[in-house]
Amino acid sequence: MAVLIRYAGVRVGLGLAQVLGVLGIVFVVASVLPGDAAVVIAADDADPGRIAQLRETLGLDRPLLTQFGDWLTGLIRGDLGTSAISGRPVADMLASALGPTLTLAILALLVLIPLAVALGVAAAVGRGRRMDRVISGVAVAFYAAPEFALAIILVAVFAVGLGLFAPTAVGASGPLLMQPELWVLPVVVLVIRPVCSLARLVRSSMITALESEPTRHTLRLGVPLRRVVWRHALPGSLTPATQHLARVTDWLLGGVVVVESVFALGGLGQVLVSAVSSRDIPLLMGLVALFGSITVTVNTIADIVAFRLNRTAGATA
């Protein structure tokens, strides 16, 4: 346990250092791009004097290092700053947009994990036979399709053609979770590609486990195949899948941004697009800090779970 705690502490420290590096890079890149929030605000009155006054008011005329240092000091205190465009606290804007994004990501994971494990185990148990070929072939085909194209096809067929779901969330109100006609298609789009990669990884790991000598010996002792698969082979096979799931979770956050834009769901995706297009650096930095924190948390949890699964597999071998 002490070794695990030390390892987790090192991983968290490295993750925080990476987040700090990403924050610095994003801040510099966003600051040196042509145009800034002052130009956006003064779009209808692009007088140089007016723009200079706005830059002074927003603090954009200060050195970049000073601006970043002030923002970082506020972050340490738990203050993400104020949007340069709307004047609203960044934390409030992120909190209000986080609901749809988390709803989609959680629903996608709830579907993704059991489906990928079931498909991977089925393909591994039937390796070389028709079930394995069908699952592997479909996985390769769907993995090659980008989310944007899948979203358009699903909307055209199931929303516009068959009328089973809403094509977008424009005009909708209320909690997203209570409106399946709005989230079923986005969740399907989010799940299709990662379920393919995760199922193939589970299949590969399961085949290795099933063909290992300890597993073969257990089968020779007369232990039923079902028990061997789920109690002996699967725990060890899930170790690489768990670590890959952390990367899939990060990918889901990026995929949610694309899917939210297609289905107009109004989550963090739209906030990100707005922050980039309006050069709203405080809002953009708040998003980067949020995504970075989620990435560090997810990867650290995945490593701890993988460690525990290894110990479980060793104990049951």
Side-chain angles (χ1 to χ4, degrees):
M1 181 60 69
V3 174
L4 179 60
I5 293 174
R6 286 197 300 270
Y7 176 74
V10 172
R11 285 304 310 271
V12 171
L14 290 174
L16 291 177
Q18 291 171 339
V19 172
L20 181 60
V22 171
L23 287 171
I25 293 172
V26 171
F27 185 86
V28 171
V29 171
S31 299
V32 300
L33 288 175
D36 54 24
V39 175
V40 174
I41 295 173
D44 296 330
D45 184 17
D47 177 71
R50 165 75 170 157
I51 294 176
Q53 182 182 8
L54 285 171
R55 283 178 177 151
E56 182 179 358
T57 302
L58 296 172
L60 299 176
D61 58 338
R62 297 175 299 160
L64 290 183
L65 189 59
T66 302
Q67 295 182 47
F68 183 67
D70 290 345
W71 182 86
L72 200 58
T73 301
L75 177 64
I76 294 173
R77 297 196 307 264
D79 181 11
L80 293 176
T82 303
S83 169
I85 303 300
S86 66
R88 293 177 56 196
V90 171
D92 292 348
M93 297 179 68
L94 296 183
S96 61
L98 191 60
T101 300
L102 280 182
T103 298
L104 287 181
I106 292 172
L107 288 171
L109 286 173
L110 290 176
V111 174
L112 164 66
I113 295 173
L115 182 59
V117 171
L119 290 175
V121 170
V125 172
R127 55 194 180 280
R129 296 195 289 272
R130 178 178 298 179
M131 177 67 72
D132 181 26
R133 292 195 294 271
V134 170
I135 293 175
S136 299
V138 172
V140 171
F142 276 113
Y143 188 76
E147 297 85 4
F148 189 81
L150 287 172
I152 293 176
I153 292 173
L154 291 178
V155 168
V157 174
F158 293 100
V160 178
L162 300 177
L164 298 177
F165 305 101
T168 68
V170 174
S173 60
L176 178 63
L177 184 62
M178 306 305 296
Q179 304 177 78
E181 69 277 7
L182 298 180
W183 58 256
V184 168
L185 290 183
V187 167
V188 171
V189 173
L190 287 172
V191 164
I192 285 179
R193 290 193 69 195
V195 79
C196 295
S197 62
L198 197 59
R200 286 173 59 82
L201 184 59
V202 171
R203 172 191 177 275
S204 177
S205 300
M206 277 290 297
I207 289 176
T208 301
L210 289 173
E211 293 180 348
S212 66
E213 183 56 34
T215 302
R216 290 178 179 273
H217 180 67
T218 304
L219 289 172
R220 287 195 293 266
L221 293 176
V223 178
L225 177 62
R226 180 183 297 272
R227 179 182 176 87
V228 171
V229 168
W230 295 104
R231 292 289 302 275
H232 296 269
L234 184 61
S237 303
L238 290 180
T239 300
T242 301
Q243 294 170 320
H244 180 67
L245 183 61
R247 294 190 291 272
V248 168
T249 303
D250 291 341
W251 177 89
L252 275 177
L253 291 174
V256 166
V257 170
V258 176
V259 170
E260 283 178 356
S261 300
V262 174
F263 291 94
L265 292 172
L268 291 177
Q270 284 190 307
V271 175
L272 178 60
V273 172
S274 174
V276 173
S277 62
S278 63
R279 302 292 190 271
D280 193 341
I281 293 180
L283 183 56
L284 178 61
M285 295 298 293
L287 283 165
V288 174
L290 175 62
F291 287 141
S293 301
I294 292 174
T295 298
V296 170
T297 302
V298 167
N299 281 278
T300 301
I301 292 175
D303 286 343
I304 294 173
V305 172
F307 178 85
R308 295 295 298 172
L309 285 174
N310 275 328
R311 290 177 63 88
T312 302
T316 57

